Every structure is written in structure tokens, then in C-alpha cells.
PDB file of all heavy atoms in Angstrom:
ATOM      1  N   PHE A   1     115.118  81.556 109.544  1.00 89.00           N
ATOM      2  CA  PHE A   1     115.684  80.810 108.417  1.00 89.00           C
ATOM      3  C   PHE A   1     115.983  81.676 107.189  1.00 89.00           C
ATOM      4  O   PHE A   1     116.635  81.200 106.259  1.00 89.00           O
ATOM      5  CB  PHE A   1     114.741  79.667 108.008  1.00 89.00           C
ATOM      6  CG  PHE A   1     114.396  78.729 109.136  1.00 89.00           C
ATOM      7  CD1 PHE A   1     113.145  78.757 109.716  1.00 89.00           C
ATOM      8  CD2 PHE A   1     115.344  77.834 109.621  1.00 89.00           C
ATOM      9  CE1 PHE A   1     112.823  77.898 110.755  1.00 89.00           C
ATOM     10  CE2 PHE A   1     115.035  76.971 110.662  1.00 89.00           C
ATOM     11  CZ  PHE A   1     113.770  77.002 111.238  1.00 89.00           C
ATOM     12  N   GLY A   2     115.516  82.922 107.158  1.00 86.00           N
ATOM     13  CA  GLY A   2     115.752  83.775 105.992  1.00 86.00           C
ATOM     14  C   GLY A   2     115.135  83.209 104.740  1.00 86.00           C
ATOM     15  O   GLY A   2     115.822  83.019 103.726  1.00 86.00           O
ATOM     16  N   LEU A   3     113.845  82.919 104.766  1.00 88.00           N
ATOM     17  CA  LEU A   3     113.175  82.242 103.650  1.00 88.00           C
ATOM     18  C   LEU A   3     113.212  83.067 102.373  1.00 88.00           C
ATOM     19  O   LEU A   3     113.413  82.537 101.283  1.00 88.00           O
ATOM     20  CB  LEU A   3     111.720  81.931 104.027  1.00 88.00           C
ATOM     21  CG  LEU A   3     111.520  81.054 105.277  1.00 88.00           C
ATOM     22  CD1 LEU A   3     110.039  80.886 105.557  1.00 88.00           C
ATOM     23  CD2 LEU A   3     112.194  79.701 105.095  1.00 88.00           C
ATOM     24  N   VAL A   4     112.999  84.378 102.481  1.00 88.00           N
ATOM     25  CA  VAL A   4     112.967  85.252 101.300  1.00 88.00           C
ATOM     26  C   VAL A   4     114.257  86.046 101.267  1.00 88.00           C
ATOM     27  O   VAL A   4     114.531  86.868 102.150  1.00 88.00           O
ATOM     28  CB  VAL A   4     111.757  86.206 101.344  1.00 88.00           C
ATOM     29  CG1 VAL A   4     111.731  87.081 100.096  1.00 88.00           C
ATOM     30  CG2 VAL A   4     110.459  85.415 101.476  1.00 88.00           C
ATOM     31  N   SER A   5     115.073  85.810 100.248  1.00 85.00           N
ATOM     32  CA  SER A   5     116.370  86.469 100.132  1.00 85.00           C
ATOM     33  C   SER A   5     116.240  87.805  99.417  1.00 85.00           C
ATOM     34  O   SER A   5     115.314  88.010  98.615  1.00 85.00           O
ATOM     35  CB  SER A   5     117.343  85.571  99.369  1.00 85.00           C
ATOM     36  OG  SER A   5     118.559  86.234  99.105  1.00 85.00           O
ATOM     37  N   LEU A   6     117.178  88.701  99.700  1.00 76.00           N
ATOM     38  CA  LEU A   6     117.214  89.981  99.005  1.00 76.00           C
ATOM     39  C   LEU A   6     117.651  89.825  97.556  1.00 76.00           C
ATOM     40  O   LEU A   6     117.345  90.656  96.709  1.00 76.00           O
ATOM     41  CB  LEU A   6     118.173  90.942  99.720  1.00 76.00           C
ATOM     42  CG  LEU A   6     117.675  91.550 101.039  1.00 76.00           C
ATOM     43  CD1 LEU A   6     118.811  92.284 101.732  1.00 76.00           C
ATOM     44  CD2 LEU A   6     116.524  92.502 100.777  1.00 76.00           C
ATOM     45  N   GLY A   7     118.393  88.763  97.265  1.00 70.00           N
ATOM     46  CA  GLY A   7     118.864  88.537  95.906  1.00 70.00           C
ATOM     47  C   GLY A   7     120.023  89.415  95.499  1.00 70.00           C
ATOM     48  O   GLY A   7     120.298  89.585  94.315  1.00 70.00           O
ATOM     49  N   ILE A   8     120.718  89.999  96.498  1.00 65.00           N
ATOM     50  CA  ILE A   8     121.872  90.859  96.223  1.00 65.00           C
ATOM     51  C   ILE A   8     123.089  90.244  96.891  1.00 65.00           C
ATOM     52  O   ILE A   8     123.142  90.126  98.125  1.00 65.00           O
ATOM     53  CB  ILE A   8     121.640  92.290  96.751  1.00 65.00           C
ATOM     54  CG1 ILE A   8     120.352  92.865  96.152  1.00 65.00           C
ATOM     55  CG2 ILE A   8     122.824  93.187  96.429  1.00 65.00           C
ATOM     56  CD1 ILE A   8     119.967  94.217  96.725  1.00 65.00           C
ATOM     57  N   SER A   9     124.055  89.828  96.105  1.00 59.00           N
ATOM     58  CA  SER A   9     125.205  89.105  96.659  1.00 59.00           C
ATOM     59  C   SER A   9     126.054  89.968  97.579  1.00 59.00           C
ATOM     60  O   SER A   9     126.660  89.476  98.528  1.00 59.00           O
ATOM     61  CB  SER A   9     126.073  88.560  95.519  1.00 59.00           C
ATOM     62  OG  SER A   9     126.523  89.623  94.673  1.00 59.00           O
ATOM     63  N   SER A  10     126.121  91.280  97.324  1.00 59.00           N
ATOM     64  CA  SER A  10     126.983  92.161  98.114  1.00 59.00           C
ATOM     65  C   SER A  10     126.222  92.872  99.229  1.00 59.00           C
ATOM     66  O   SER A  10     126.737  93.808  99.827  1.00 59.00           O
ATOM     67  CB  SER A  10     127.635  93.210  97.200  1.00 59.00           C
ATOM     68  OG  SER A  10     126.645  93.995  96.553  1.00 59.00           O
ATOM     69  N   ALA A  11     124.976  92.448  99.496  1.00 63.00           N
ATOM     70  CA  ALA A  11     124.173  93.113 100.518  1.00 63.00           C
ATOM     71  C   ALA A  11     124.726  92.812 101.911  1.00 63.00           C
ATOM     72  O   ALA A  11     125.354  91.774 102.141  1.00 63.00           O
ATOM     73  CB  ALA A  11     122.725  92.666 100.423  1.00 63.00           C
ATOM     74  N   VAL A  12     124.474  93.728 102.840  1.00 66.00           N
ATOM     75  CA  VAL A  12     124.933  93.553 104.219  1.00 66.00           C
ATOM     76  C   VAL A  12     124.212  92.390 104.877  1.00 66.00           C
ATOM     77  O   VAL A  12     124.784  91.656 105.678  1.00 66.00           O
ATOM     78  CB  VAL A  12     124.711  94.855 105.016  1.00 66.00           C
ATOM     79  CG1 VAL A  12     125.108  94.683 106.467  1.00 66.00           C
ATOM     80  CG2 VAL A  12     125.497  95.995 104.385  1.00 66.00           C
ATOM     81  N   VAL A  13     122.936  92.199 104.547  1.00 76.00           N
ATOM     82  CA  VAL A  13     122.165  91.067 105.057  1.00 76.00           C
ATOM     83  C   VAL A  13     121.694  90.236 103.873  1.00 76.00           C
ATOM     84  O   VAL A  13     121.463  90.747 102.784  1.00 76.00           O
ATOM     85  CB  VAL A  13     120.961  91.540 105.894  1.00 76.00           C
ATOM     86  CG1 VAL A  13     121.426  92.184 107.179  1.00 76.00           C
ATOM     87  CG2 VAL A  13     120.088  92.505 105.107  1.00 76.00           C
ATOM     88  N   ASP A  14     121.559  88.921 104.082  1.00 80.00           N
ATOM     89  CA  ASP A  14     121.189  88.029 102.994  1.00 80.00           C
ATOM     90  C   ASP A  14     119.689  88.037 102.719  1.00 80.00           C
ATOM     91  O   ASP A  14     119.259  87.955 101.576  1.00 80.00           O
ATOM     92  CB  ASP A  14     121.641  86.595 103.317  1.00 80.00           C
ATOM     93  CG  ASP A  14     123.155  86.494 103.420  1.00 80.00           C
ATOM     94  OD1 ASP A  14     123.842  87.244 102.709  1.00 80.00           O
ATOM     95  OD2 ASP A  14     123.646  85.667 104.222  1.00 80.00           O
ATOM     96  N   ALA A  15     118.890  88.112 103.778  1.00 85.00           N
ATOM     97  CA  ALA A  15     117.437  88.019 103.639  1.00 85.00           C
ATOM     98  C   ALA A  15     116.773  89.293 104.146  1.00 85.00           C
ATOM     99  O   ALA A  15     117.404  90.109 104.825  1.00 85.00           O
ATOM    100  CB  ALA A  15     116.915  86.809 104.405  1.00 85.00           C
ATOM    101  N   TYR A  16     115.505  89.446 103.804  1.00 88.00           N
ATOM    102  CA  TYR A  16     114.753  90.614 104.267  1.00 88.00           C
ATOM    103  C   TYR A  16     114.730  90.639 105.797  1.00 88.00           C
ATOM    104  O   TYR A  16     114.334  89.658 106.425  1.00 88.00           O
ATOM    105  CB  TYR A  16     113.327  90.573 103.736  1.00 88.00           C
ATOM    106  CG  TYR A  16     113.186  91.094 102.328  1.00 88.00           C
ATOM    107  CD1 TYR A  16     113.159  90.227 101.249  1.00 88.00           C
ATOM    108  CD2 TYR A  16     113.085  92.461 102.082  1.00 88.00           C
ATOM    109  CE1 TYR A  16     113.032  90.704  99.943  1.00 88.00           C
ATOM    110  CE2 TYR A  16     112.949  92.945 100.780  1.00 88.00           C
ATOM    111  CZ  TYR A  16     112.925  92.059  99.728  1.00 88.00           C
ATOM    112  OH  TYR A  16     112.807  92.534  98.448  1.00 88.00           O
ATOM    113  N   PRO A  17     115.141  91.755 106.389  1.00 91.00           N
ATOM    114  CA  PRO A  17     115.090  91.835 107.852  1.00 91.00           C
ATOM    115  C   PRO A  17     113.663  92.041 108.339  1.00 91.00           C
ATOM    116  O   PRO A  17     112.873  92.731 107.685  1.00 91.00           O
ATOM    117  CB  PRO A  17     115.962  93.067 108.164  1.00 91.00           C
ATOM    118  CG  PRO A  17     115.837  93.925 106.935  1.00 91.00           C
ATOM    119  CD  PRO A  17     115.680  92.973 105.770  1.00 91.00           C
ATOM    120  N   VAL A  18     113.321  91.436 109.457  1.00 93.00           N
ATOM    121  CA  VAL A  18     111.980  91.575 110.024  1.00 93.00           C
ATOM    122  C   VAL A  18     112.091  91.781 111.532  1.00 93.00           C
ATOM    123  O   VAL A  18     113.056  91.365 112.160  1.00 93.00           O
ATOM    124  CB  VAL A  18     111.095  90.335 109.739  1.00 93.00           C
ATOM    125  CG1 VAL A  18     110.750  90.229 108.265  1.00 93.00           C
ATOM    126  CG2 VAL A  18     111.783  89.059 110.207  1.00 93.00           C
ATOM    127  N   ARG A  19     111.083  92.423 112.080  1.00 93.00           N
ATOM    128  CA  ARG A  19     110.993  92.578 113.548  1.00 93.00           C
ATOM    129  C   ARG A  19     109.527  92.716 113.927  1.00 93.00           C
ATOM    130  O   ARG A  19     108.786  93.479 113.317  1.00 93.00           O
ATOM    131  CB  ARG A  19     111.774  93.808 114.020  1.00 93.00           C
ATOM    132  CG  ARG A  19     111.669  94.040 115.541  1.00 93.00           C
ATOM    133  CD  ARG A  19     112.654  95.102 115.987  1.00 93.00           C
ATOM    134  NE  ARG A  19     112.367  96.392 115.389  1.00 93.00           N
ATOM    135  CZ  ARG A  19     111.570  97.317 115.949  1.00 93.00           C
ATOM    136  NH1 ARG A  19     110.977  97.072 117.106  1.00 93.00           N
ATOM    137  NH2 ARG A  19     111.384  98.481 115.356  1.00 93.00           N
ATOM    138  N   ILE A  20     109.143  91.969 114.945  1.00 91.00           N
ATOM    139  CA  ILE A  20     107.760  91.989 115.403  1.00 91.00           C
ATOM    140  C   ILE A  20     107.604  93.048 116.482  1.00 91.00           C
ATOM    141  O   ILE A  20     108.371  93.091 117.447  1.00 91.00           O
ATOM    142  CB  ILE A  20     107.353  90.601 115.949  1.00 91.00           C
ATOM    143  CG1 ILE A  20     107.390  89.563 114.822  1.00 91.00           C
ATOM    144  CG2 ILE A  20     105.965  90.660 116.574  1.00 91.00           C
ATOM    145  CD1 ILE A  20     107.187  88.144 115.292  1.00 91.00           C
ATOM    146  N   VAL A  21     106.615  93.904 116.313  1.00 92.00           N
ATOM    147  CA  VAL A  21     106.284  94.935 117.306  1.00 92.00           C
ATOM    148  C   VAL A  21     104.844  94.703 117.755  1.00 92.00           C
ATOM    149  O   VAL A  21     103.929  94.658 116.926  1.00 92.00           O
ATOM    150  CB  VAL A  21     106.435  96.352 116.709  1.00 92.00           C
ATOM    151  CG1 VAL A  21     106.032  97.410 117.729  1.00 92.00           C
ATOM    152  CG2 VAL A  21     107.871  96.584 116.261  1.00 92.00           C
ATOM    153  N   MET A  22     104.642  94.559 119.052  1.00 92.00           N
ATOM    154  CA  MET A  22     103.317  94.217 119.562  1.00 92.00           C
ATOM    155  C   MET A  22     102.293  95.324 119.282  1.00 92.00           C
ATOM    156  O   MET A  22     101.106  95.039 119.117  1.00 92.00           O
ATOM    157  CB  MET A  22     103.394  93.933 121.058  1.00 92.00           C
ATOM    158  CG  MET A  22     104.222  92.703 121.405  1.00 92.00           C
ATOM    159  SD  MET A  22     103.787  91.235 120.415  1.00 92.00           S
ATOM    160  CE  MET A  22     102.077  90.997 120.891  1.00 92.00           C
ATOM    161  N   THR A  23     102.750  96.575 119.239  1.00 92.00           N
ATOM    162  CA  THR A  23     101.799  97.656 118.949  1.00 92.00           C
ATOM    163  C   THR A  23     101.211  97.511 117.543  1.00 92.00           C
ATOM    164  O   THR A  23     100.061  97.923 117.307  1.00 92.00           O
ATOM    165  CB  THR A  23     102.482  99.027 119.074  1.00 92.00           C
ATOM    166  OG1 THR A  23     103.679  99.040 118.282  1.00 92.00           O
ATOM    167  CG2 THR A  23     102.836  99.322 120.527  1.00 92.00           C
ATOM    168  N   ASP A  24     101.978  96.926 116.610  1.00 92.00           N
ATOM    169  CA  ASP A  24     101.445  96.670 115.275  1.00 92.00           C
ATOM    170  C   ASP A  24     100.271  95.694 115.345  1.00 92.00           C
ATOM    171  O   ASP A  24      99.260  95.857 114.643  1.00 92.00           O
ATOM    172  CB  ASP A  24     102.530  96.104 114.356  1.00 92.00           C
ATOM    173  CG  ASP A  24     103.578  97.133 114.000  1.00 92.00           C
ATOM    174  OD1 ASP A  24     103.313  98.335 114.205  1.00 92.00           O
ATOM    175  OD2 ASP A  24     104.656  96.747 113.534  1.00 92.00           O
ATOM    176  N   PHE A  25     100.395  94.673 116.193  1.00 92.00           N
ATOM    177  CA  PHE A  25      99.312  93.707 116.355  1.00 92.00           C
ATOM    178  C   PHE A  25      98.063  94.404 116.897  1.00 92.00           C
ATOM    179  O   PHE A  25      96.942  94.090 116.486  1.00 92.00           O
ATOM    180  CB  PHE A  25      99.752  92.586 117.309  1.00 92.00           C
ATOM    181  CG  PHE A  25     100.628  91.557 116.668  1.00 92.00           C
ATOM    182  CD1 PHE A  25     101.879  91.875 116.193  1.00 92.00           C
ATOM    183  CD2 PHE A  25     100.196  90.243 116.532  1.00 92.00           C
ATOM    184  CE1 PHE A  25     102.689  90.927 115.599  1.00 92.00           C
ATOM    185  CE2 PHE A  25     100.994  89.279 115.940  1.00 92.00           C
ATOM    186  CZ  PHE A  25     102.245  89.624 115.463  1.00 92.00           C
ATOM    187  N   ILE A  26      98.273  95.342 117.810  1.00 92.00           N
ATOM    188  CA  ILE A  26      97.132  96.069 118.383  1.00 92.00           C
ATOM    189  C   ILE A  26      96.429  96.898 117.311  1.00 92.00           C
ATOM    190  O   ILE A  26      95.199  96.872 117.180  1.00 92.00           O
ATOM    191  CB  ILE A  26      97.598  96.958 119.548  1.00 92.00           C
ATOM    192  CG1 ILE A  26      98.128  96.082 120.696  1.00 92.00           C
ATOM    193  CG2 ILE A  26      96.459  97.849 120.029  1.00 92.00           C
ATOM    194  CD1 ILE A  26      98.754  96.870 121.824  1.00 92.00           C
ATOM    195  N   TRP A  27      97.220  97.641 116.510  1.00 91.00           N
ATOM    196  CA  TRP A  27      96.633  98.479 115.462  1.00 91.00           C
ATOM    197  C   TRP A  27      95.935  97.636 114.400  1.00 91.00           C
ATOM    198  O   TRP A  27      94.873  98.017 113.887  1.00 91.00           O
ATOM    199  CB  TRP A  27      97.706  99.350 114.821  1.00 91.00           C
ATOM    200  CG  TRP A  27      98.094 100.528 115.644  1.00 91.00           C
ATOM    201  CD1 TRP A  27      99.282 100.757 116.269  1.00 91.00           C
ATOM    202  CD2 TRP A  27      97.267 101.668 115.948  1.00 91.00           C
ATOM    203  NE1 TRP A  27      99.259 101.952 116.945  1.00 91.00           N
ATOM    204  CE2 TRP A  27      98.025 102.539 116.764  1.00 91.00           C
ATOM    205  CE3 TRP A  27      95.961 102.029 115.619  1.00 91.00           C
ATOM    206  CZ2 TRP A  27      97.532 103.736 117.238  1.00 91.00           C
ATOM    207  CZ3 TRP A  27      95.465 103.234 116.094  1.00 91.00           C
ATOM    208  CH2 TRP A  27      96.242 104.075 116.898  1.00 91.00           C
ATOM    209  N   ILE A  28      96.521  96.495 114.074  1.00 91.00           N
ATOM    210  CA  ILE A  28      95.890  95.605 113.088  1.00 91.00           C
ATOM    211  C   ILE A  28      94.564  95.082 113.635  1.00 91.00           C
ATOM    212  O   ILE A  28      93.551  95.046 112.920  1.00 91.00           O
ATOM    213  CB  ILE A  28      96.839  94.433 112.735  1.00 91.00           C
ATOM    214  CG1 ILE A  28      98.048  94.959 111.950  1.00 91.00           C
ATOM    215  CG2 ILE A  28      96.108  93.375 111.919  1.00 91.00           C
ATOM    216  CD1 ILE A  28      99.150  93.926 111.770  1.00 91.00           C
ATOM    217  N   SER A  29      94.552  94.703 114.902  1.00 88.00           N
ATOM    218  CA  SER A  29      93.318  94.207 115.520  1.00 88.00           C
ATOM    219  C   SER A  29      92.248  95.298 115.536  1.00 88.00           C
ATOM    220  O   SER A  29      91.072  95.038 115.246  1.00 88.00           O
ATOM    221  CB  SER A  29      93.593  93.724 116.943  1.00 88.00           C
ATOM    222  OG  SER A  29      94.556  92.686 116.952  1.00 88.00           O
ATOM    223  N   VAL A  30      92.655  96.523 115.877  1.00 89.00           N
ATOM    224  CA  VAL A  30      91.707  97.646 115.895  1.00 89.00           C
ATOM    225  C   VAL A  30      91.139  97.881 114.495  1.00 89.00           C
ATOM    226  O   VAL A  30      89.930  98.122 114.329  1.00 89.00           O
ATOM    227  CB  VAL A  30      92.392  98.921 116.426  1.00 89.00           C
ATOM    228  CG1 VAL A  30      91.514 100.146 116.193  1.00 89.00           C
ATOM    229  CG2 VAL A  30      92.715  98.780 117.905  1.00 89.00           C
ATOM    230  N   ALA A  31      92.003  97.811 113.485  1.00 89.00           N
ATOM    231  CA  ALA A  31      91.548  98.019 112.106  1.00 89.00           C
ATOM    232  C   ALA A  31      90.552  96.947 111.690  1.00 89.00           C
ATOM    233  O   ALA A  31      89.508  97.246 111.085  1.00 89.00           O
ATOM    234  CB  ALA A  31      92.750  98.020 111.160  1.00 89.00           C
ATOM    235  N   VAL A  32      90.851  95.680 112.028  1.00 83.00           N
ATOM    236  CA  VAL A  32      89.949  94.580 111.654  1.00 83.00           C
ATOM    237  C   VAL A  32      88.598  94.733 112.353  1.00 83.00           C
ATOM    238  O   VAL A  32      87.538  94.570 111.734  1.00 83.00           O
ATOM    239  CB  VAL A  32      90.602  93.226 112.008  1.00 83.00           C
ATOM    240  CG1 VAL A  32      89.587  92.095 111.823  1.00 83.00           C
ATOM    241  CG2 VAL A  32      91.824  92.974 111.125  1.00 83.00           C
ATOM    242  N   VAL A  33      88.613  95.059 113.645  1.00 80.00           N
ATOM    243  CA  VAL A  33      87.359  95.218 114.397  1.00 80.00           C
ATOM    244  C   VAL A  33      86.538  96.379 113.830  1.00 80.00           C
ATOM    245  O   VAL A  33      85.312  96.265 113.652  1.00 80.00           O
ATOM    246  CB  VAL A  33      87.659  95.447 115.895  1.00 80.00           C
ATOM    247  CG1 VAL A  33      86.388  95.857 116.637  1.00 80.00           C
ATOM    248  CG2 VAL A  33      88.249  94.185 116.511  1.00 80.00           C
ATOM    249  N   SER A  34      87.194  97.487 113.526  1.00 85.00           N
ATOM    250  CA  SER A  34      86.482  98.655 112.996  1.00 85.00           C
ATOM    251  C   SER A  34      85.836  98.339 111.650  1.00 85.00           C
ATOM    252  O   SER A  34      84.670  98.683 111.404  1.00 85.00           O
ATOM    253  CB  SER A  34      87.455  99.831 112.846  1.00 85.00           C
ATOM    254  OG  SER A  34      88.040 100.165 114.082  1.00 85.00           O
ATOM    255  N   ILE A  35      86.595  97.677 110.776  1.00 86.00           N
ATOM    256  CA  ILE A  35      86.070  97.323 109.456  1.00 86.00           C
ATOM    257  C   ILE A  35      84.893  96.364 109.595  1.00 86.00           C
ATOM    258  O   ILE A  35      83.874  96.485 108.899  1.00 86.00           O
ATOM    259  CB  ILE A  35      87.183  96.709 108.591  1.00 86.00           C
ATOM    260  CG1 ILE A  35      88.212  97.773 108.216  1.00 86.00           C
ATOM    261  CG2 ILE A  35      86.606  96.065 107.338  1.00 86.00           C
ATOM    262  CD1 ILE A  35      89.454  97.220 107.574  1.00 86.00           C
ATOM    263  N   THR A  36      85.003  95.419 110.525  1.00 80.00           N
ATOM    264  CA  THR A  36      83.928  94.441 110.727  1.00 80.00           C
ATOM    265  C   THR A  36      82.647  95.107 111.200  1.00 80.00           C
ATOM    266  O   THR A  36      81.551  94.796 110.719  1.00 80.00           O
ATOM    267  CB  THR A  36      84.375  93.394 111.762  1.00 80.00           C
ATOM    268  OG1 THR A  36      85.566  92.770 111.291  1.00 80.00           O
ATOM    269  CG2 THR A  36      83.304  92.345 111.958  1.00 80.00           C
ATOM    270  N   LEU A  37      82.778  96.036 112.152  1.00 79.00           N
ATOM    271  CA  LEU A  37      81.595  96.729 112.653  1.00 79.00           C
ATOM    272  C   LEU A  37      80.914  97.526 111.547  1.00 79.00           C
ATOM    273  O   LEU A  37      79.677  97.548 111.447  1.00 79.00           O
ATOM    274  CB  LEU A  37      81.986  97.649 113.811  1.00 79.00           C
ATOM    275  CG  LEU A  37      82.408  96.942 115.114  1.00 79.00           C
ATOM    276  CD1 LEU A  37      82.869  97.957 116.143  1.00 79.00           C
ATOM    277  CD2 LEU A  37      81.255  96.101 115.668  1.00 79.00           C
ATOM    278  N   LEU A  38      81.725  98.166 110.696  1.00 84.00           N
ATOM    279  CA  LEU A  38      81.146  98.929 109.587  1.00 84.00           C
ATOM    280  C   LEU A  38      80.450  98.016 108.589  1.00 84.00           C
ATOM    281  O   LEU A  38      79.374  98.342 108.064  1.00 84.00           O
ATOM    282  CB  LEU A  38      82.245  99.737 108.888  1.00 84.00           C
ATOM    283  CG  LEU A  38      82.835 100.914 109.676  1.00 84.00           C
ATOM    284  CD1 LEU A  38      84.006 101.530 108.926  1.00 84.00           C
ATOM    285  CD2 LEU A  38      81.759 101.973 109.929  1.00 84.00           C
ATOM    286  N   ALA A  39      81.068  96.846 108.321  1.00 83.00           N
ATOM    287  CA  ALA A  39      80.484  95.919 107.351  1.00 83.00           C
ATOM    288  C   ALA A  39      79.239  95.234 107.902  1.00 83.00           C
ATOM    289  O   ALA A  39      78.352  94.840 107.130  1.00 83.00           O
ATOM    290  CB  ALA A  39      81.521  94.867 106.954  1.00 83.00           C
ATOM    291  N   SER A  40      79.169  95.073 109.212  1.00 85.00           N
ATOM    292  CA  SER A  40      78.041  94.355 109.814  1.00 85.00           C
ATOM    293  C   SER A  40      76.876  95.260 110.176  1.00 85.00           C
ATOM    294  O   SER A  40      75.769  94.768 110.415  1.00 85.00           O
ATOM    295  CB  SER A  40      78.524  93.627 111.081  1.00 85.00           C
ATOM    296  OG  SER A  40      79.628  92.797 110.823  1.00 85.00           O
TER     297      SER A  40
END
């Protein structure tokens, strides 16, 4: 839906482009688990 717009009328795209990469989810999960173990 392009919820957040770039706010530039002459921009090539109207809204912020996004793309989901599964490896990012893996790294985020690893970071959360590591931080939790250190905190616990």
C-alpha cells in the first residue's frame, strides 16, 4: 500500500521501497537470543 511516502513529487518511486530477506530474520533472531542469554 505504500503507507510511508518519500514526500518527493518527482521521485522515481512514491513510497519507501522495501524487500524482505530471510537471512535478515535469521541474524535478528541470533542477535535477540545472544542478548537474552547475556542478560539472563
Side-chain angles (χ1 to χ4, degrees):
F1 305 107
L3 302 178
V4 181
S5 173
L6 285 171
I8 304 174
S9 58
S10 60
V12 177
V13 292
D14 296 328
Y16 278 97
V18 291
R19 178 170 63 91
I20 296 172
V21 178
M22 295 311 298
T23 52
D24 290 344
F25 281 65
I26 295 173
W27 283 112
I28 291 170
S29 301
V30 169
V32 171
V33 170
S34 301
I35 291 170
T36 302
L37 290 176
L38 290 174
S40 306

